[in-house]
């Protein structure tokens, strides 16, 4: 009796269990599917955001025009930052973070593509000098991040940073970049533009 009941119960239980498992399996499958969908959407959103960040540079045309547009854009954020008062800490920190992201992306584009092309074109000393100046851009960012943004000294440091950056930009825009562009073939300039946008997209 027990033997007949037992297998029946087991069979029932096991059918129930199977049902549960399959239900769970379905739920898990739905969750996994949704998670994968979510991850895919997340990935698409991230790629979309990156594309949007890199778009102004990619649409600016040749590599030197793109870098010029980025210089102009970051100086505009400096304008906004310099117009803040000592109480606007959150805004100051947000604007500084914006400047940092823009300059880090810009430095990657220049250091990974344009400065090597400058060295290739025989301007090693100038490229090394520009590269060293990028080091001081990071120094300014570090110092500003480690100083209370409520201090009037903070804005003084921002102005010092901007002046150093503008000097660096002048060297690039007025002399080295136009010289490099003129020295290279149309094909090589196109290849540099493509490579530079690729580097920018990675960190956008
Ligand atoms: Fe630079
Ligand atoms: Fe630059």
């Amino acid at each position: 009796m027990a033997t007949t009941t037992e297998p029946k119960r087991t069979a029932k239980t096991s059918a129930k269990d199977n049902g549960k498992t399959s239900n769970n399996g379905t739920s898990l499958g739905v969750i996994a599917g949704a998670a994968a969908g979510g991850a895919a959407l997340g990935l698409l959103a991230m790629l979309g955001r990156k594309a949007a960040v890199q778009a102004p540079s990619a649409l600016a045309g040749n590599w030197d025009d793109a870098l010029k547009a980025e210089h102009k854009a970051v100086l505009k954020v400096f304008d906004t930052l310099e117009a803040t008062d000592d109480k606007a800490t959150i805004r100051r920190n947000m604007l500084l973070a914006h400047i940092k992201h823009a300059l880090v992306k810009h430095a990657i584009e220049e250091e990974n593509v344009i400065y090597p092309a400058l060295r290739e074109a025989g301007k090693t000393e100038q490229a090394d000098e520009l590269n060293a100046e990028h080091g001081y851009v990071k120094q300014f960012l570090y110092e500003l991040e480690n100083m209370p943004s409520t201090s009037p000294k903070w804005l003084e440091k921002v102005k010092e940073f901007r002046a150093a950056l503008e000097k660096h930009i002048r060297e690039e825009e007025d002399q080295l970049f136009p010289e490099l562009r003129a020295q290279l073939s149309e094909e090589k300039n196109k290849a540099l533009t493509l490579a530079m946008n690729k580097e920018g997209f990675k960190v956008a």
Side-chain angles (χ1 to χ4, degrees):
M1 195 70 175
T3 21
T4 39
T5 327
E6 197 53 32
K8 258 188 197 167
R9 201 175 59 85
T10 312
K12 211 177 169 188
T13 314
S14 120
K16 231 180 177 180
D17 282 351
N18 278 345
K20 262 189 194 164
T21 311
S22 111
N23 274 345
N24 279 348
T26 314
S27 316
L28 284 177
V30 169
I31 292 166
L41 278 178
L43 183 68
L44 274 177
M46 186 194 71
L47 290 175
R49 188 197 56 76
K50 276 173 164 281
V53 170
Q54 192 59 25
S57 308
L59 294 170
N62 203 66
W63 61 267
D64 58 333
D65 296 318
L67 294 174
K68 222 185 243 188
E70 291 186 4
H71 293 156
K72 211 175 152 193
V74 81
L75 289 176
K76 238 177 135 184
V77 188
F78 269 92
D79 286 340
T80 315
L81 182 58
E82 284 173 63
T84 57
D85 62 51
D86 293 344
K87 283 182 221 148
T89 34
I90 295 174
R91 190 154 165 73
R92 281 187 172 181
N93 294 338
M94 275 173 65
L95 289 166
L96 186 68
H98 183 166
I99 288 174
K100 186 178 186 177
H101 183 254
L103 287 178
V104 164
K105 185 179 86 72
H106 187 80
I108 295 280
E109 291 168 345
E110 292 185 340
E111 289 169 17
N112 290 8
V113 180
I114 306 305
Y115 296 176
L118 271 173
R119 293 187 189 95
E120 207 173 42
K123 296 181 190 296
T124 302
E125 211 177 296
Q126 293 92 326
D128 290 349
E129 202 180 299
L130 291 175
N131 207 83
E133 286 168 3
H134 280 191
Y136 283 92
V137 164
K138 286 169 185 122
Q139 185 69 29
F140 274 115
L141 287 165
Y142 171 84
E143 286 176 15
L144 284 166
E145 280 173 348
N146 286 285
M147 238 171 112
S149 56
T150 40
S151 150
K153 282 193 176 163
W154 197 81
L155 214 55
E156 269 174 40
K157 181 69 79 180
V158 167
K159 285 179 181 161
E160 210 186 303
F161 181 14
R162 185 197 185 125
L165 193 65
E166 281 189 336
K167 188 178 163 281
H168 176 87
I169 288 173
R170 294 274 61 86
E171 285 163 3
E172 292 182 337
E173 281 190 19
D174 298 348
Q175 198 198 336
L176 293 164
F177 289 177
E179 278 175 11
L180 180 66
R181 183 176 175 173
Q183 200 178 329
L184 302 175
S185 68
E186 181 84 356
E187 204 187 1
K188 179 75 180 173
N189 275 310
K190 272 188 186 161
L192 284 187
T193 303
L194 194 72
M196 192 199 75
N197 277 310
K198 232 169 137 183
E199 288 301 306
F201 185 78
K202 282 185 207 164
V203 287

